[in-house]
């Protein structure tokens, strides 16, 4: 069943084949999970859904997967994604698109050769069981990796799953795992959670260790948790919410806020700029109903708020992430690890050919955009402008929240406790529709998610019907309050 559904919707990039000794100890014993394929594990490939890392196996383990294993959670497989986290559809994958399991896909899309495995870059065609080895050894599980096959037949009625953590969302939505780990730089946990009607929590920046997360844009990258069960989201968060000396941006223990109490009267801000303009009818209808319902509840007060910098956050986000990405991706040169071109002539550098063959179109586009913003032509006009918009937006968020900031004690007694707004402006588009839009049009789908990422705020997608959801955000560091209110609203 797991294999069949995975193939139909192209959910996993590798699947654990062995029946792992199910660990009966630990607070997550008897739970199973899926891990986005940009988080490293020592005993399965980590590909970022890119050709350039197609057979890469990390020599070290991420903090996230280590903490979950210590609590007895079983890793079912690594999930497909937009290459390096760049996208919002999960169509930008070297392994082909992940599709949305809420919609019926009539044909199987990947023809898998049953007994082929890729382990540490070697293709193994027989059934091999790895023994658990001595300390320091990692080959004790067996993974099945789909063959790359690019001629998919996709049903014309299929809708995108959203991205970039599309495989993680699909694994949860199709009931293949209890929860999944995704990553969210500008919405990649929240948008696919919205399109698949599940909870998707992006914690405050720095709360979950990024050690072992392959960077896209490290000043925004966060690890997030996706599940149909909000209590499980909270439980998994409480396990991952630890200071880690391996991550220099990990929040220190004394700055972490564990309080989850919400006031008896909960003040909710609705940003005027994110509220109704541009919402498709289905979304608008559900959103208005929700607001009307909340207005009637005695313990909720709703306020229309304004954050002027919201209108500039999308271009600021894309300037910053592409700049960081262009610098981060410089490490893929085919010399140290990853894909290396087979043939080259001395007339062009080997790394140039490796990179032009190894990266997909969207990744290349972002490297070019980012390199421009960091060049002497673009630095002041683009990069510094975007940095200023980000600082302003952070100040605006800070000034409207009541509670003190995790890093500063400023209080605003008249402020609000939470912000509420839709997660996506529309239902997930048809794959065929999405394939026709321009890159800039596709970036517009992130308009409601990126502002919270720029400010590092904790925010969760709460499902509100089929493929519709809304975001509940809190002050920096108030992660447990956000989770508590999400549970109350469930
Ligand atoms: N869609 C956004 C982007 O492409 C966000 C991706 C993410 O959060 N990883 O940058």
């Amino acid at each position: 069943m797991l294999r069949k559904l995975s193939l139909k919707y192209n959910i996993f990039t590798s699947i654990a084949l062995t029946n792992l000794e199910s660990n009966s100890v630990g607070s997550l014993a008897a739970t199973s999970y899926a891990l986005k394929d940009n988080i490293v594990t020592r005993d399965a490939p980590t590909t970022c859904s890119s050709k350039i890392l197609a057979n890469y196996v990390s020599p070290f383990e991420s903090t996230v997967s280590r903490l979950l294993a210590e609590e007895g959670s079983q890793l079912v497989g690594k999930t497909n994604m937009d290459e390096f986290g760049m996208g919002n559809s999960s169509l930008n994958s070297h392994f082909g698109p992940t599709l949305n399991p809420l919609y019926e896909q009539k044909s199987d899309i990947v023809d898998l050769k049953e007994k082929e495995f890729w382990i540490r870059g070697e293709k193994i065609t027989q059934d091999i069981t790895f023994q658990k080895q001595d300390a320091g050894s990692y080959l004790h599980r067996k993974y099945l990796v789909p063959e790359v096959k690019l001629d998919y037949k996709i049903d014309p009625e299929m809708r995108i799953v959203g991205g970039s953590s599309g495989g993680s969302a699909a694994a949860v939505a199709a009931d293949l795992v209890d929860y999944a780990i995704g990553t969210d730089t500008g919405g990649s946990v929240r948008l696919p959670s919205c399109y698949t009607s599940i909870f998707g929590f992006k914690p405050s920046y720095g709360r979950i260790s990024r050690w072992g997360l392959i960077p896209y844009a490290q000043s925004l990258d966060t690890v997030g948790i996706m599940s149909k069960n909000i209590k499980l989201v909270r439980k998994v968060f409480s396990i991952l919410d630890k200071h880690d000396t391996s991550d220099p941006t990990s929040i220190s223990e004394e700055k972490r806020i564990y309080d989850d109490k919400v006031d008896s009267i909960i003040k909710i801000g609705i940003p005027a700029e994110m509220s109704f303009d541009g919402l498709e009818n289905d979304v608008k209808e559900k959103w208005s109903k929700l607001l009307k319902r909340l207005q009637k509840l005695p313990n909720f007060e709703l306020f229309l708020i304004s954050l002027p910098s919201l209108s500039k956050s999308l271009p600021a986000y894309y300037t910053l992430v592409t700049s960081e990405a262009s610098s981060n991706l410089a490490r893929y040169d085919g010399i140290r690890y990853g894909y290396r071109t087979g043939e080259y002539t001395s007339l062009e550098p080997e790394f140039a050919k490796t990179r032009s063959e190894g990266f997909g179109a969207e990744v290349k586009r972002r490297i070019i955009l980012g390199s421009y913003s960091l060049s002497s032509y673009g630095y002041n006009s683009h990069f510094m402008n975007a940095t200023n918009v980000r600082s302003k937006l952070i100040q605006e968020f800070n000034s409207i929240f009541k509670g003190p900031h995790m890093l500063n004690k400023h209080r605003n007694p008249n402020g609000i406790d939470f912000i509420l707004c839709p997660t996506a402006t529309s239902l997930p588009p048809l794959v065929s529709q999405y394939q026709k839009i321009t890159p800039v049009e596709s970036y517009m789908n992130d308009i409601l998610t990126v502002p919270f990422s720029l400010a590092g705020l904790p925010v969760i997608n709460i499902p509100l019907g089929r493929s519709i959801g809304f975001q509940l955000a809190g002050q920096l560091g108030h992660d447990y309050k956000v989770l508590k209110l999400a549970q109350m609203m469930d």
Side-chain angles (χ1 to χ4, degrees):
M1 144 95 164
L2 183 134
R3 290 269 313 278
K4 200 164 174 292
L5 277 172
S6 175
L7 295 185
K8 199 164 179 155
Y9 295 98
N10 200 19
I11 295 172
F12 289 103
T13 47
S14 60
I15 297 175
L17 280 182
T18 39
N19 251 343
L20 308 172
E21 342 68 76
S22 79
N23 204 342
S24 54
V25 285
S27 58
L28 290 174
T31 62
S32 62
Y33 81 102
L35 186 65
K36 187 173 177 181
D37 207 12
N38 57 351
I39 299 181
V40 304
T41 47
R42 292 194 306 175
D43 46 13
T46 303
T47 68
C48 289
S49 288
S50 179
K51 180 173 176 179
I52 215 147
L53 284 177
N55 298 316
Y56 173 72
V57 183
S58 163
F60 70 97
E61 187 79 16
S62 67
T63 300
V64 167
S65 55
R66 178 179 57 76
L67 290 172
L68 295 174
E70 282 169 10
E71 292 302 329
S73 205
Q74 183 170 315
L75 175 57
V76 168
K78 308 283 284 281
T79 53
N80 202 11
M81 53 184 279
D82 285 305
E83 188 177 355
F84 285 102
M86 299 177 189
N88 50 33
S89 63
S90 294
L91 303 185
N92 300 339
S93 162
H94 176 59
F95 304 110
T98 295
L99 303 174
N100 193 328
L102 297 195
Y103 304 84
E104 182 57 22
Q105 152 76 5
K106 300 202 179 72
S107 48
D108 288 350
I109 57 170
V110 181
D111 179 12
L112 205 119
K113 292 203 185 101
E114 286 273 333
K115 290 207 167 150
E116 288 191 340
F117 314 99
W118 289 92
I119 303 276
R120 288 214 155 257
E122 275 177 62
K123 197 175 194 183
I124 298 162
T125 47
Q126 40 178 319
D127 209 348
I128 300 173
T129 310
F130 289 103
Q131 300 300 319
K132 194 157 187 157
Q133 310 204 350
D134 306 337
S137 178
Y138 35 80
L139 288 179
H140 58 84
R141 284 184 191 170
K142 202 165 56 165
Y143 279 83
L144 176 65
V145 181
E147 280 276 90
V148 179
K149 198 164 178 255
L150 297 168
D151 52 340
Y152 302 100
K153 276 193 213 80
I154 298 171
D155 202 292
E157 293 306 306
M158 275 315 288
R159 290 183 181 268
I160 65 165
V161 69
S164 62
S165 314
S168 291
V172 171
D175 290 322
L176 303 182
V177 288
D178 298 311
Y179 68 95
I181 299 296
T183 63
D184 191 313
T185 305
S188 279
V189 159
R190 289 160 283 156
L191 192 69
S193 298
C194 169
Y195 286 168
T196 54
S197 305
I198 63 174
F199 289 98
F201 178 51
K202 179 201 97 66
S204 296
Y205 179 78
R207 207 105 192 202
I208 297 185
S209 169
R210 288 185 298 113
W211 177 246
L213 159 61
I214 296 181
Y216 160 19
Q218 67 274 38
S219 80
L220 294 119
D221 291 339
T222 53
V223 174
I225 305 156
M226 302 151 104
S227 179
K228 289 186 179 173
N229 178 343
I230 179 68
K231 287 193 187 141
L232 186 58
V233 172
R234 185 189 163 121
K235 191 167 177 186
V236 173
F237 177 63
S238 68
I239 283 153
L240 300 179
D241 176 29
K242 292 191 173 62
H243 174 65
D244 184 6
T245 47
S246 303
D247 173 358
T249 57
S250 175
I251 299 163
S252 65
E253 210 43 69
E254 58 284 5
K255 297 240 161 63
R256 287 172 192 252
I257 302 168
Y258 295 99
D259 179 17
D260 73 350
K261 274 190 221 77
V262 292
D263 289 353
S264 50
I265 301 291
I266 301 163
K267 293 187 171 178
I268 307 249
I270 314 288
E273 298 85 352
M274 294 166 105
S275 235
F276 289 98
D277 283 353
L279 296 186
E280 208 180 60
N281 281 343
D282 294 334
V283 179
K284 202 183 265 181
E285 203 181 294
K286 285 263 185 226
W287 173 234
S288 317
K289 271 195 189 149
L290 172 73
L291 293 182
K292 281 189 192 128
R293 206 174 76 216
L294 291 178
Q295 258 165 349
K296 285 192 196 128
L297 296 176
N299 53 335
F300 282 91
E301 278 179 12
L302 303 190
F303 298 86
L304 199 61
I305 56 169
S306 176
L307 298 149
S309 298
L310 281 179
S311 59
K312 294 189 190 136
S313 41
L314 195 66
Y317 168 84
Y318 271 96
T319 306
L320 294 172
V321 288
T322 52
S323 302
E324 291 186 31
S326 71
S327 158
N328 277 322
L329 295 178
R331 73 190 69 183
Y332 303 105
D333 53 14
I335 309 293
R336 287 164 288 188
Y337 45 76
Y339 171 78
R340 182 186 289 194
T341 185
E343 285 168 36
Y344 73 103
T345 65
S346 52
L347 293 176
E348 60 178 334
E350 184 182 12
F351 70 83
K353 190 147 191 278
T354 294
R355 286 163 68 79
S356 63
E357 288 169 8
F359 289 134
E362 185 57 32
V363 174
K364 287 180 195 157
R365 181 174 300 117
R366 295 192 187 203
I367 292 173
I368 293 167
L369 286 171
S371 304
Y372 178 76
S373 299
L374 293 178
S375 71
S376 54
Y377 303 105
Y379 191 74
N380 285 325
S381 56
H382 289 57
F383 186 79
M384 285 317 291
N385 258 347
T387 305
N388 292 338
V389 169
R390 184 179 192 179
S391 309
K392 263 202 180 146
L393 183 69
I394 291 173
Q395 280 165 16
E396 289 168 14
F397 272 124
N398 253 334
S399 64
I400 54 149
F401 277 118
K402 186 203 292 168
H405 191 297
M406 177 180 73
L407 307 170
N408 115 20
K409 297 272 165 275
H410 167 79
R411 266 178 184 278
N412 171 6
N414 301 320
I416 51 151
D417 301 295
F418 298 97
I419 293 176
L420 200 62
C421 67
T423 305
T425 54
S426 68
L427 293 175
L430 294 173
V431 172
S432 51
Q433 255 172 12
Y434 190 94
Q435 279 165 335
K436 284 188 207 124
I437 63 177
T438 63
V440 174
E441 282 167 337
S442 81
Y443 302 162
M444 297 294 285
N445 289 347
D446 301 323
I447 195 147
L448 299 174
T449 52
V450 298
F452 302 114
S453 300
L454 287 169
L457 303 182
V459 50
I460 187 166
N461 174 70
I462 303 180
L464 184 71
R466 194 186 197 208
S467 293
I468 298 179
F470 60 94
Q471 299 178 92
L472 176 71
Q475 172 64 299
L476 189 69
H478 293 202
D479 299 59
Y480 283 103
K481 290 181 195 278
V482 169
L483 291 170
K484 173 77 165 286
L485 188 60
Q487 198 171 323
M488 285 164 61
M489 291 170 90
D490 187 18

